[in-house]
Amino acid sequence: MQKVTELNLERGMPDAATAVRRLKDGLMTAKRQGAKAVVVIHGYGSTGVGGTIRVAVQKTLDEDQLRGLVRFWFGGTSWSWRKKEALSVCKDLERYERRINGNEGVTVVILK
């Protein structure tokens, strides 16, 4: 069983609403499959000021409806100070460190 799942929301260049639907479906599927963490790839946005998908994903992760599913989440730029906490829940995330650390186009979701 894979304890970490990657969820690429950039594939196909969807709009933010489609990406959010994929996020919710992907998180539920990962949980059903026994994953402890999901590395969400949403990109940073072509404008260089933060894409709408990244903003929509992170806003969605804070919604009450996901409280039963999401333990906590953080962006790749917070890896250095959230690493210990994340690895205490899912040691397998260590294999993804190079892709996560400092990456504004990635959000890590720790599942309940």
Side-chain angles (χ1 to χ4, degrees):
M1 178 208 21
Q2 178 104 7
K3 295 213 179 189
V4 180
T5 299
E6 269 191 30
L7 180 58
N8 188 341
L9 300 180
E10 279 189 308
R11 190 170 290 123
M13 298 179 65
D15 62 18
T18 300
V20 166
R21 278 194 305 278
R22 287 183 191 167
L23 170 71
K24 290 176 180 178
D25 290 346
L27 293 177
M28 286 188 276
T29 298
K31 178 68 175 171
R32 274 195 308 273
Q33 294 173 346
K36 299 286 185 200
V38 179
V39 177
V40 180
I41 302 162
H42 46 64
Y44 183 64
S46 58
T47 62
V49 294
T52 56
I53 291 175
R54 179 183 63 85
V55 171
V57 160
Q58 293 180 347
K59 181 179 177 200
T60 299
L61 290 170
D62 280 335
E63 290 178 359
D64 286 341
Q65 66 177 337
L66 292 181
R67 292 223 189 277
L69 185 62
V70 175
R71 184 181 297 203
F72 64 91
W73 66 270
F74 57 91
T77 56
S78 300
W79 173 256
S80 59
W81 62 275
R82 299 296 300 263
K83 175 181 175 178
K84 185 176 180 181
E85 181 183 16
L87 292 178
S88 73
V89 176
C90 184
K91 185 82 170 132
D92 290 349
L93 269 173
E94 203 162 39
R95 293 183 293 145
Y96 292 80
E97 181 168 11
R98 284 182 45 192
R99 281 188 263 176
I100 298 169
N101 192 17
N103 189 342
E104 295 182 72
V106 170
T107 296
V108 177
V109 180
I110 305 298
L111 299 173
K112 286 190 176 176

